[in-house]
Amino acid sequence: MATPMRSGPPRQGRNPELLPASAPGASQEEIRRQNLGAVLRYVHVHGLTSRAELTSRLRLNRSTIGALAADLAAAGLVTEEAPTTARRAGRPSLVVSPRSGRVYAHALSIEADRLRAARVGLGGRILDLREADRPSGMAAPDAVAPLADLVRDMERAVPGDALLAGGGVAVVDTTRDADGRIRIGGADETLHAALSAEFGAGPRFVTGDLADIAALAEHVRGVAAGVNDVVYLHGDLGVSAGIISGGRLVLGHRGRSGKVGHMVVNPDGLPCGCGSRGCWETEIGEAALLRHAGREPGGPDAVADVLRAAAAGEQPAVAAVERVADWLGFGVANLVNVVNPNTVVFGGSLRELYLAGAGTVRRRLDTMVLPPCREIVHLRAAALGRDAALIGAAELAFDTLLADPLHAGAAG
Amino acid sequence: MATPMRSGPPRQGRNPELLPASAPGASQEEIRRQNLGAVLRYVHVHGLTSRAELTSRLRLNRSTIGALAADLAAAGLVTEEAPTTARRAGRPSLVVSPRSGRVYAHALSIEADRLRAARVGLGGRILDLREADRPSGMAAPDAVAPLADLVRDMERAVPGDALLAGGGVAVVDTTRDADGRIRIGGADETLHAALSAEFGAGPRFVTGDLADIAALAEHVRGVAAGVNDVVYLHGDLGVSAGIISGGRLVLGHRGRSGKVGHMVVNPDGLPCGCGSRGCWETEIGEAALLRHAGREPGGPDAVADVLRAAAAGEQPAVAAVERVADWLGFGVANLVNVVNPNTVVFGGSLRELYLAGAGTVRRRLDTMVLPPCREIVHLRAAALGRDAALIGAAELAFDTLLADPLHAGAAG
């Protein structure tokens, strides 16, 4: 995948990025590919854009942008048209838009209790969406067949000239066993085998951790758009994170970063399903909130009920929210000290918990985070909701197309 | 700074990197600059390299490599010569070497109790080195004047045709107040002002956190060479980390990532100088080891004495090392769950502590890290010792030259 080049000297006082020790050189063909990708990516992220804006933002000259946009239009990836609003003087700059209705990706999410499949158009628009239950005990690879059924169902409504760019799959790491116990470990090689078996010569699927993928979505077009240092926290059965540093996902050596639910925050705490004790999940998970509120174990509905009771001022729900929000802030403070984000985003079930206990969370940061990091960190509720996983999965899928617009994405 | 392009399609099952939403396009001039940088960087990192190897590693054709190497040689940045060993057949491929004796950087380190200045040649060779004490209570900006004296002293021995590429400064974040108390916060804007005042129109200095810079050095030419996901831990008065993910430093929003010493690991622990309680530093710092060993507060010598006593099997030194190593493993386990490194490097004073308690550290990882991350993580003692900060600071300085070999680095 091509990495657009950045120019300009490094500024004093700012560390330059590391470069790979062995970096391939650039050829003419690669440059054209890269520039086509830069134009297509820009309109994919920003929507309708004038040629003039592309010229200034991409720092290419006007005729180059014109030729690139024309090539992309000829390939059916963008449209070019005169702007609808009149300009003061001179020839109006054509506006370039992604062909969201024609160019699309399959986006799948394998969530704790739900399977979702969407067609997402270039530009990040959800064109179609189907859902099914994920029964307890269904392993991620076994979810591929019912998802493929949903995909085939959606495909019937796709226009004949549509272009399938590829597929992306967001998989949660924590699932429910048939006996209701929580099990850790979602995506693995068997998932890829299941995707190949089910889709055969169809779209190539890229898979990723749901929290990473949702973080990507919030970074590209959600509450963290334009923010380069982000910790996105996702709560469902477990708690995991998607960490973005300098505009790039911190994936880890095997893509297994962000297992923040298994940071030990309370050495004297309860046993965790992972075999350790006092993990963050044991203090901020659904089970902790219900336990402190004196409720029976339950799912999202039971949690929502506690949050409603707390909002109405009912004890012990208020105390339970305070206590869990305090531990939420505790773990966030540790993460902020480690990765120094500009923005922390609370997603999944943590969104509502954060909104219910924002003051408590912030107080923890005020005592535990070093002052220079504390002052700059923004805490935000996620903007894209459950669609984040699908929109992010589509981003993964579009990446091949955006890296090489004229030679990729012909899988459909 | 130019980012060399990578090519090839993303592989299934691997998340592509995030790209900046607004990526500038590539021009002809930029490509040549980038390719010159790629060649110079390759020999800077790998030392003497044949043109044939450059051709294959950088994926450029042979004539292009020849022209680039000739340009770099003409600029006095590399030498080209016939290989000394005979080859079986055909014309021997010229070998290209960095001109380490001619092209150099100023590398400075502002450590807790010491100031160091070096001339580091292209290729990472320390050509000259001077040191001075850093008195307690000396703020980082006040260290610039004595460092400048050391630099001027070294400059007297520099040959007339030498090329100064720039300067880098590694600054510890934790220093000792005049009254001996530990103070947090090292590099800031006042340091840049002091550098400008002292060096004027001389080399431009890039500054960074010492742990980040030492991590960079271990990544480029130390124990983590070729490893793209690294947590480097640095112990001195405090504990901080340099985190490398996907080959890039995780710097954070204001370059303030890696304050891992202030993760709270023990909510019931001792007060920390930062105002919080139970920070990792309070459990694994020098003070903790000396306290558990029943010793008076002291510095590195006192710590070394405890480690010697423990190695000789003396109680309570053995128990003190075990206890501190256990907390060391505790924090490392949390970091491994968060960022999923391939390698954790123990540097500064943590190097000896790790070597003394490696089994205990590993046992913590075996209980606290999720299995898939646990199995792959390598624990390593740092290889470059105290030179890591200087070698890394030079890497920062060379970066401008490597980004644009023919138009940068003329500061000397």
Side-chain angles (χ1 to χ4, degrees), chain A residues 368-400:
Chain A
M368 281 175 56
V369 174
L370 292 184
C373 301
R374 176 200 305 169
E375 285 148 19
I376 57 168
V377 69
H378 301 279
L379 307 181
R380 296 275 184 271
L384 301 175
R386 296 185 65 190
D387 291 342
L390 296 170
I391 290 171
E395 292 300 325
L396 292 189
F398 285 129
D399 215 87
T400 308

PDB file of all heavy atoms in Angstrom, chain A residues 368-400:
ATOM      1  N   MET A 368      -4.598  11.722  38.744  1.00  0.00           N
ATOM      2  CA  MET A 368      -3.642  10.685  38.356  1.00  0.00           C
ATOM      3  C   MET A 368      -2.804  10.992  37.118  1.00  0.00           C
ATOM      4  O   MET A 368      -1.756  10.380  36.909  1.00  0.00           O
ATOM      5  CB  MET A 368      -4.374   9.355  38.135  1.00  0.00           C
ATOM      6  CG  MET A 368      -4.710   8.622  39.431  1.00  0.00           C
ATOM      7  SD  MET A 368      -5.700   7.122  39.129  1.00  0.00           S
ATOM      8  CE  MET A 368      -4.667   6.205  37.966  1.00  0.00           C
ATOM      9  N   VAL A 369      -3.279  11.875  36.261  1.00  0.00           N
ATOM     10  CA  VAL A 369      -2.536  12.148  35.022  1.00  0.00           C
ATOM     11  C   VAL A 369      -1.545  13.288  35.288  1.00  0.00           C
ATOM     12  O   VAL A 369      -1.880  14.256  35.969  1.00  0.00           O
ATOM     13  CB  VAL A 369      -3.499  12.514  33.879  1.00  0.00           C
ATOM     14  CG1 VAL A 369      -2.733  12.941  32.635  1.00  0.00           C
ATOM     15  CG2 VAL A 369      -4.425  11.348  33.569  1.00  0.00           C
ATOM     16  N   LEU A 370      -0.344  13.160  34.755  1.00  0.00           N
ATOM     17  CA  LEU A 370       0.640  14.234  34.908  1.00  0.00           C
ATOM     18  C   LEU A 370       0.079  15.515  34.285  1.00  0.00           C
ATOM     19  O   LEU A 370      -0.535  15.473  33.222  1.00  0.00           O
ATOM     20  CB  LEU A 370       1.957  13.862  34.223  1.00  0.00           C
ATOM     21  CG  LEU A 370       2.747  12.719  34.864  1.00  0.00           C
ATOM     22  CD1 LEU A 370       4.072  12.536  34.137  1.00  0.00           C
ATOM     23  CD2 LEU A 370       2.985  12.944  36.341  1.00  0.00           C
ATOM     24  N   PRO A 371       0.327  16.650  34.938  1.00  0.00           N
ATOM     25  CA  PRO A 371      -0.321  17.903  34.497  1.00  0.00           C
ATOM     26  C   PRO A 371      -0.234  18.205  33.003  1.00  0.00           C
ATOM     27  O   PRO A 371      -1.270  18.509  32.403  1.00  0.00           O
ATOM     28  CB  PRO A 371       0.372  18.966  35.339  1.00  0.00           C
ATOM     29  CG  PRO A 371       0.726  18.234  36.599  1.00  0.00           C
ATOM     30  CD  PRO A 371       1.088  16.830  36.170  1.00  0.00           C
ATOM     31  N   PRO A 372       0.926  18.110  32.366  1.00  0.00           N
ATOM     32  CA  PRO A 372       0.928  18.548  30.955  1.00  0.00           C
ATOM     33  C   PRO A 372       0.020  17.696  30.076  1.00  0.00           C
ATOM     34  O   PRO A 372      -0.535  18.189  29.105  1.00  0.00           O
ATOM     35  CB  PRO A 372       2.387  18.374  30.520  1.00  0.00           C
ATOM     36  CG  PRO A 372       3.155  18.102  31.748  1.00  0.00           C
ATOM     37  CD  PRO A 372       2.224  17.634  32.804  1.00  0.00           C
ATOM     38  N   CYS A 373      -0.130  16.418  30.394  1.00  0.00           N
ATOM     39  CA  CYS A 373      -1.009  15.562  29.595  1.00  0.00           C
ATOM     40  C   CYS A 373      -2.460  15.765  29.997  1.00  0.00           C
ATOM     41  O   CYS A 373      -3.373  15.696  29.173  1.00  0.00           O
ATOM     42  CB  CYS A 373      -0.669  14.089  29.787  1.00  0.00           C
ATOM     43  SG  CYS A 373       1.007  13.670  29.345  1.00  0.00           S
ATOM     44  N   ARG A 374      -2.683  16.012  31.280  1.00  0.00           N
ATOM     45  CA  ARG A 374      -4.030  16.139  31.823  1.00  0.00           C
ATOM     46  C   ARG A 374      -4.770  17.310  31.186  1.00  0.00           C
ATOM     47  O   ARG A 374      -5.934  17.210  30.816  1.00  0.00           O
ATOM     48  CB  ARG A 374      -3.885  16.370  33.329  1.00  0.00           C
ATOM     49  CG  ARG A 374      -5.165  16.622  34.069  1.00  0.00           C
ATOM     50  CD  ARG A 374      -4.867  17.301  35.410  1.00  0.00           C
ATOM     51  NE  ARG A 374      -3.919  16.532  36.202  1.00  0.00           N
ATOM     52  CZ  ARG A 374      -3.327  17.003  37.309  1.00  0.00           C
ATOM     53  NH1 ARG A 374      -3.594  18.212  37.745  1.00  0.00           N
ATOM     54  NH2 ARG A 374      -2.467  16.262  37.964  1.00  0.00           N
ATOM     55  N   GLU A 375      -4.023  18.419  31.034  1.00  0.00           N
ATOM     56  CA  GLU A 375      -4.680  19.644  30.592  1.00  0.00           C
ATOM     57  C   GLU A 375      -5.200  19.565  29.165  1.00  0.00           C
ATOM     58  O   GLU A 375      -6.153  20.243  28.814  1.00  0.00           O
ATOM     59  CB  GLU A 375      -3.699  20.822  30.728  1.00  0.00           C
ATOM     60  CG  GLU A 375      -3.540  21.236  32.189  1.00  0.00           C
ATOM     61  CD  GLU A 375      -2.138  21.761  32.494  1.00  0.00           C
ATOM     62  OE1 GLU A 375      -1.431  22.139  31.537  1.00  0.00           O
ATOM     63  OE2 GLU A 375      -1.770  21.773  33.680  1.00  0.00           O
ATOM     64  N   ILE A 376      -4.522  18.760  28.353  1.00  0.00           N
ATOM     65  CA  ILE A 376      -4.888  18.782  26.939  1.00  0.00           C
ATOM     66  C   ILE A 376      -5.860  17.684  26.547  1.00  0.00           C
ATOM     67  O   ILE A 376      -6.356  17.688  25.435  1.00  0.00           O
ATOM     68  CB  ILE A 376      -3.645  18.651  26.037  1.00  0.00           C
ATOM     69  CG1 ILE A 376      -2.895  17.364  26.380  1.00  0.00           C
ATOM     70  CG2 ILE A 376      -2.759  19.872  26.154  1.00  0.00           C
ATOM     71  CD1 ILE A 376      -1.837  17.006  25.372  1.00  0.00           C
ATOM     72  N   VAL A 377      -6.138  16.741  27.433  1.00  0.00           N
ATOM     73  CA  VAL A 377      -6.894  15.593  26.955  1.00  0.00           C
ATOM     74  C   VAL A 377      -8.400  15.887  26.961  1.00  0.00           C
ATOM     75  O   VAL A 377      -8.958  16.390  27.927  1.00  0.00           O
ATOM     76  CB  VAL A 377      -6.549  14.319  27.764  1.00  0.00           C
ATOM     77  CG1 VAL A 377      -7.051  14.395  29.192  1.00  0.00           C
ATOM     78  CG2 VAL A 377      -7.093  13.086  27.072  1.00  0.00           C
ATOM     79  N   HIS A 378      -9.018  15.596  25.813  1.00  0.00           N
ATOM     80  CA  HIS A 378     -10.466  15.763  25.658  1.00  0.00           C
ATOM     81  C   HIS A 378     -11.140  14.412  25.847  1.00  0.00           C
ATOM     82  O   HIS A 378     -10.690  13.418  25.291  1.00  0.00           O
ATOM     83  CB  HIS A 378     -10.789  16.282  24.254  1.00  0.00           C
ATOM     84  CG  HIS A 378     -10.144  17.590  23.947  1.00  0.00           C
ATOM     85  ND1 HIS A 378     -10.665  18.794  24.370  1.00  0.00           N
ATOM     86  CD2 HIS A 378      -9.013  17.880  23.275  1.00  0.00           C
ATOM     87  CE1 HIS A 378      -9.870  19.771  23.973  1.00  0.00           C
ATOM     88  NE2 HIS A 378      -8.860  19.253  23.304  1.00  0.00           N
ATOM     89  N   LEU A 379     -12.216  14.392  26.598  1.00  0.00           N
ATOM     90  CA  LEU A 379     -13.003  13.171  26.770  1.00  0.00           C
ATOM     91  C   LEU A 379     -14.275  13.337  25.956  1.00  0.00           C
ATOM     92  O   LEU A 379     -14.952  14.357  26.052  1.00  0.00           O
ATOM     93  CB  LEU A 379     -13.325  12.956  28.257  1.00  0.00           C
ATOM     94  CG  LEU A 379     -12.134  12.984  29.225  1.00  0.00           C
ATOM     95  CD1 LEU A 379     -12.599  12.731  30.656  1.00  0.00           C
ATOM     96  CD2 LEU A 379     -11.075  11.960  28.828  1.00  0.00           C
ATOM     97  N   ARG A 380     -14.586  12.333  25.136  1.00  0.00           N
ATOM     98  CA  ARG A 380     -15.716  12.473  24.214  1.00  0.00           C
ATOM     99  C   ARG A 380     -16.541  11.184  24.134  1.00  0.00           C
ATOM    100  O   ARG A 380     -15.970  10.088  24.123  1.00  0.00           O
ATOM    101  CB  ARG A 380     -15.201  12.751  22.785  1.00  0.00           C
ATOM    102  CG  ARG A 380     -14.455  14.056  22.615  1.00  0.00           C
ATOM    103  CD  ARG A 380     -15.414  15.202  22.353  1.00  0.00           C
ATOM    104  NE  ARG A 380     -14.698  16.446  22.102  1.00  0.00           N
ATOM    105  CZ  ARG A 380     -14.333  17.320  23.046  1.00  0.00           C
ATOM    106  NH1 ARG A 380     -14.627  17.074  24.319  1.00  0.00           N
ATOM    107  NH2 ARG A 380     -13.701  18.428  22.733  1.00  0.00           N
ATOM    108  N   ALA A 381     -17.848  11.327  24.032  1.00  0.00           N
ATOM    109  CA  ALA A 381     -18.705  10.182  23.731  1.00  0.00           C
ATOM    110  C   ALA A 381     -18.609   9.880  22.239  1.00  0.00           C
ATOM    111  O   ALA A 381     -18.528  10.798  21.419  1.00  0.00           O
ATOM    112  CB  ALA A 381     -20.144  10.492  24.122  1.00  0.00           C
ATOM    113  N   ALA A 382     -18.599   8.597  21.895  1.00  0.00           N
ATOM    114  CA  ALA A 382     -18.496   8.194  20.487  1.00  0.00           C
ATOM    115  C   ALA A 382     -19.665   8.778  19.686  1.00  0.00           C
ATOM    116  O   ALA A 382     -20.756   8.969  20.216  1.00  0.00           O
ATOM    117  CB  ALA A 382     -18.495   6.681  20.379  1.00  0.00           C
ATOM    118  N   ALA A 383     -19.410   9.076  18.408  1.00  0.00           N
ATOM    119  CA  ALA A 383     -20.426   9.733  17.573  1.00  0.00           C
ATOM    120  C   ALA A 383     -21.154   8.756  16.659  1.00  0.00           C
ATOM    121  O   ALA A 383     -22.299   8.986  16.295  1.00  0.00           O
ATOM    122  CB  ALA A 383     -19.777  10.815  16.720  1.00  0.00           C
ATOM    123  N   LEU A 384     -20.509   7.671  16.277  1.00  0.00           N
ATOM    124  CA  LEU A 384     -21.063   6.832  15.210  1.00  0.00           C
ATOM    125  C   LEU A 384     -21.866   5.647  15.728  1.00  0.00           C
ATOM    126  O   LEU A 384     -22.452   4.906  14.934  1.00  0.00           O
ATOM    127  CB  LEU A 384     -19.929   6.335  14.298  1.00  0.00           C
ATOM    128  CG  LEU A 384     -19.096   7.426  13.627  1.00  0.00           C
ATOM    129  CD1 LEU A 384     -17.935   6.813  12.861  1.00  0.00           C
ATOM    130  CD2 LEU A 384     -19.948   8.271  12.690  1.00  0.00           C
ATOM    131  N   GLY A 385     -21.878   5.461  17.033  1.00  0.00           N
ATOM    132  CA  GLY A 385     -22.658   4.369  17.603  1.00  0.00           C
ATOM    133  C   GLY A 385     -22.228   3.027  17.055  1.00  0.00           C
ATOM    134  O   GLY A 385     -21.051   2.803  16.758  1.00  0.00           O
ATOM    135  N   ARG A 386     -23.216   2.142  16.871  1.00  0.00           N
ATOM    136  CA  ARG A 386     -22.884   0.783  16.443  1.00  0.00           C
ATOM    137  C   ARG A 386     -22.418   0.757  15.000  1.00  0.00           C
ATOM    138  O   ARG A 386     -21.825  -0.224  14.544  1.00  0.00           O
ATOM    139  CB  ARG A 386     -24.098  -0.115  16.610  1.00  0.00           C
ATOM    140  CG  ARG A 386     -24.509  -0.256  18.075  1.00  0.00           C
ATOM    141  CD  ARG A 386     -25.635  -1.248  18.214  1.00  0.00           C
ATOM    142  NE  ARG A 386     -25.220  -2.575  17.850  1.00  0.00           N
ATOM    143  CZ  ARG A 386     -26.057  -3.587  17.699  1.00  0.00           C
ATOM    144  NH1 ARG A 386     -27.351  -3.402  17.851  1.00  0.00           N
ATOM    145  NH2 ARG A 386     -25.610  -4.781  17.381  1.00  0.00           N
ATOM    146  N   ASP A 387     -22.722   1.812  14.239  1.00  0.00           N
ATOM    147  CA  ASP A 387     -22.271   1.839  12.848  1.00  0.00           C
ATOM    148  C   ASP A 387     -20.762   1.991  12.727  1.00  0.00           C
ATOM    149  O   ASP A 387     -20.189   1.764  11.656  1.00  0.00           O
ATOM    150  CB  ASP A 387     -22.953   2.982  12.091  1.00  0.00           C
ATOM    151  CG  ASP A 387     -24.448   2.722  11.898  1.00  0.00           C
ATOM    152  OD1 ASP A 387     -24.864   1.547  12.038  1.00  0.00           O
ATOM    153  OD2 ASP A 387     -25.179   3.676  11.622  1.00  0.00           O
ATOM    154  N   ALA A 388     -20.095   2.393  13.810  1.00  0.00           N
ATOM    155  CA  ALA A 388     -18.644   2.600  13.740  1.00  0.00           C
ATOM    156  C   ALA A 388     -17.930   1.356  13.224  1.00  0.00           C
ATOM    157  O   ALA A 388     -17.027   1.440  12.390  1.00  0.00           O
ATOM    158  CB  ALA A 388     -18.095   3.006  15.114  1.00  0.00           C
ATOM    159  N   ALA A 389     -18.341   0.192  13.706  1.00  0.00           N
ATOM    160  CA  ALA A 389     -17.666  -1.047  13.290  1.00  0.00           C
ATOM    161  C   ALA A 389     -17.827  -1.269  11.794  1.00  0.00           C
ATOM    162  O   ALA A 389     -16.888  -1.690  11.108  1.00  0.00           O
ATOM    163  CB  ALA A 389     -18.216  -2.235  14.071  1.00  0.00           C
ATOM    164  N   LEU A 390     -19.027  -0.990  11.264  1.00  0.00           N
ATOM    165  CA  LEU A 390     -19.272  -1.219   9.838  1.00  0.00           C
ATOM    166  C   LEU A 390     -18.549  -0.180   8.978  1.00  0.00           C
ATOM    167  O   LEU A 390     -17.943  -0.503   7.954  1.00  0.00           O
ATOM    168  CB  LEU A 390     -20.780  -1.198   9.561  1.00  0.00           C
ATOM    169  CG  LEU A 390     -21.570  -2.322  10.256  1.00  0.00           C
ATOM    170  CD1 LEU A 390     -23.068  -2.080  10.140  1.00  0.00           C
ATOM    171  CD2 LEU A 390     -21.193  -3.685   9.669  1.00  0.00           C
ATOM    172  N   ILE A 391     -18.626   1.062   9.410  1.00  0.00           N
ATOM    173  CA  ILE A 391     -17.962   2.122   8.642  1.00  0.00           C
ATOM    174  C   ILE A 391     -16.451   1.903   8.648  1.00  0.00           C
ATOM    175  O   ILE A 391     -15.772   2.052   7.629  1.00  0.00           O
ATOM    176  CB  ILE A 391     -18.347   3.503   9.223  1.00  0.00           C
ATOM    177  CG1 ILE A 391     -19.829   3.783   8.911  1.00  0.00           C
ATOM    178  CG2 ILE A 391     -17.457   4.610   8.664  1.00  0.00           C
ATOM    179  CD1 ILE A 391     -20.394   5.003   9.612  1.00  0.00           C
ATOM    180  N   GLY A 392     -15.925   1.497   9.795  1.00  0.00           N
ATOM    181  CA  GLY A 392     -14.486   1.221   9.888  1.00  0.00           C
ATOM    182  C   GLY A 392     -14.085   0.000   9.074  1.00  0.00           C
ATOM    183  O   GLY A 392     -13.038  -0.008   8.429  1.00  0.00           O
ATOM    184  N   ALA A 393     -14.933  -1.029   9.093  1.00  0.00           N
ATOM    185  CA  ALA A 393     -14.626  -2.229   8.299  1.00  0.00           C
ATOM    186  C   ALA A 393     -14.584  -1.870   6.817  1.00  0.00           C
ATOM    187  O   ALA A 393     -13.747  -2.377   6.059  1.00  0.00           O
ATOM    188  CB  ALA A 393     -15.667  -3.322   8.565  1.00  0.00           C
ATOM    189  N   ALA A 394     -15.480  -0.974   6.404  1.00  0.00           N
ATOM    190  CA  ALA A 394     -15.463  -0.533   5.008  1.00  0.00           C
ATOM    191  C   ALA A 394     -14.184   0.253   4.708  1.00  0.00           C
ATOM    192  O   ALA A 394     -13.614   0.132   3.619  1.00  0.00           O
ATOM    193  CB  ALA A 394     -16.695   0.319   4.711  1.00  0.00           C
ATOM    194  N   GLU A 395     -13.714   1.042   5.681  1.00  0.00           N
ATOM    195  CA  GLU A 395     -12.444   1.771   5.472  1.00  0.00           C
ATOM    196  C   GLU A 395     -11.319   0.787   5.164  1.00  0.00           C
ATOM    197  O   GLU A 395     -10.500   1.022   4.275  1.00  0.00           O
ATOM    198  CB  GLU A 395     -12.084   2.614   6.700  1.00  0.00           C
ATOM    199  CG  GLU A 395     -13.000   3.794   6.970  1.00  0.00           C
ATOM    200  CD  GLU A 395     -13.045   4.794   5.829  1.00  0.00           C
ATOM    201  OE1 GLU A 395     -12.019   5.010   5.165  1.00  0.00           O
ATOM    202  OE2 GLU A 395     -14.132   5.349   5.582  1.00  0.00           O
ATOM    203  N   LEU A 396     -11.274  -0.300   5.914  1.00  0.00           N
ATOM    204  CA  LEU A 396     -10.246  -1.315   5.643  1.00  0.00           C
ATOM    205  C   LEU A 396     -10.377  -1.835   4.219  1.00  0.00           C
ATOM    206  O   LEU A 396      -9.391  -2.015   3.502  1.00  0.00           O
ATOM    207  CB  LEU A 396     -10.393  -2.511   6.594  1.00  0.00           C
ATOM    208  CG  LEU A 396     -10.106  -2.324   8.069  1.00  0.00           C
ATOM    209  CD1 LEU A 396     -10.108  -3.688   8.759  1.00  0.00           C
ATOM    210  CD2 LEU A 396      -8.752  -1.655   8.268  1.00  0.00           C
ATOM    211  N   ALA A 397     -11.628  -2.084   3.832  1.00  0.00           N
ATOM    212  CA  ALA A 397     -11.869  -2.656   2.506  1.00  0.00           C
ATOM    213  C   ALA A 397     -11.490  -1.682   1.399  1.00  0.00           C
ATOM    214  O   ALA A 397     -10.925  -2.059   0.377  1.00  0.00           O
ATOM    215  CB  ALA A 397     -13.338  -3.050   2.389  1.00  0.00           C
ATOM    216  N   PHE A 398     -11.803  -0.400   1.606  1.00  0.00           N
ATOM    217  CA  PHE A 398     -11.511   0.601   0.576  1.00  0.00           C
ATOM    218  C   PHE A 398     -10.011   0.869   0.449  1.00  0.00           C
ATOM    219  O   PHE A 398      -9.566   1.461  -0.521  1.00  0.00           O
ATOM    220  CB  PHE A 398     -12.235   1.919   0.893  1.00  0.00           C
ATOM    221  CG  PHE A 398     -13.703   1.891   0.611  1.00  0.00           C
ATOM    222  CD1 PHE A 398     -14.625   2.287   1.566  1.00  0.00           C
ATOM    223  CD2 PHE A 398     -14.174   1.461  -0.625  1.00  0.00           C
ATOM    224  CE1 PHE A 398     -15.988   2.265   1.303  1.00  0.00           C
ATOM    225  CE2 PHE A 398     -15.537   1.431  -0.903  1.00  0.00           C
ATOM    226  CZ  PHE A 398     -16.448   1.831   0.072  1.00  0.00           C
ATOM    227  N   ASP A 399      -9.259   0.459   1.443  1.00  0.00           N
ATOM    228  CA  ASP A 399      -7.860   0.848   1.440  1.00  0.00           C
ATOM    229  C   ASP A 399      -7.105   0.347   0.209  1.00  0.00           C
ATOM    230  O   ASP A 399      -6.253   1.049  -0.342  1.00  0.00           O
ATOM    231  CB  ASP A 399      -7.170   0.370   2.712  1.00  0.00           C
ATOM    232  CG  ASP A 399      -6.148   1.378   3.146  1.00  0.00           C
ATOM    233  OD1 ASP A 399      -6.520   2.310   3.869  1.00  0.00           O
ATOM    234  OD2 ASP A 399      -4.997   1.263   2.689  1.00  0.00           O
ATOM    235  N   THR A 400      -7.434  -0.854  -0.239  1.00  0.00           N
ATOM    236  CA  THR A 400      -6.779  -1.398  -1.437  1.00  0.00           C
ATOM    237  C   THR A 400      -7.108  -0.536  -2.654  1.00  0.00           C
ATOM    238  O   THR A 400      -6.234  -0.190  -3.450  1.00  0.00           O
ATOM    239  CB  THR A 400      -7.229  -2.847  -1.680  1.00  0.00           C
ATOM    240  OG1 THR A 400      -7.033  -3.587  -0.476  1.00  0.00           O
ATOM    241  CG2 THR A 400      -6.454  -3.493  -2.810  1.00  0.00           C
TER     242      THR A 400
END
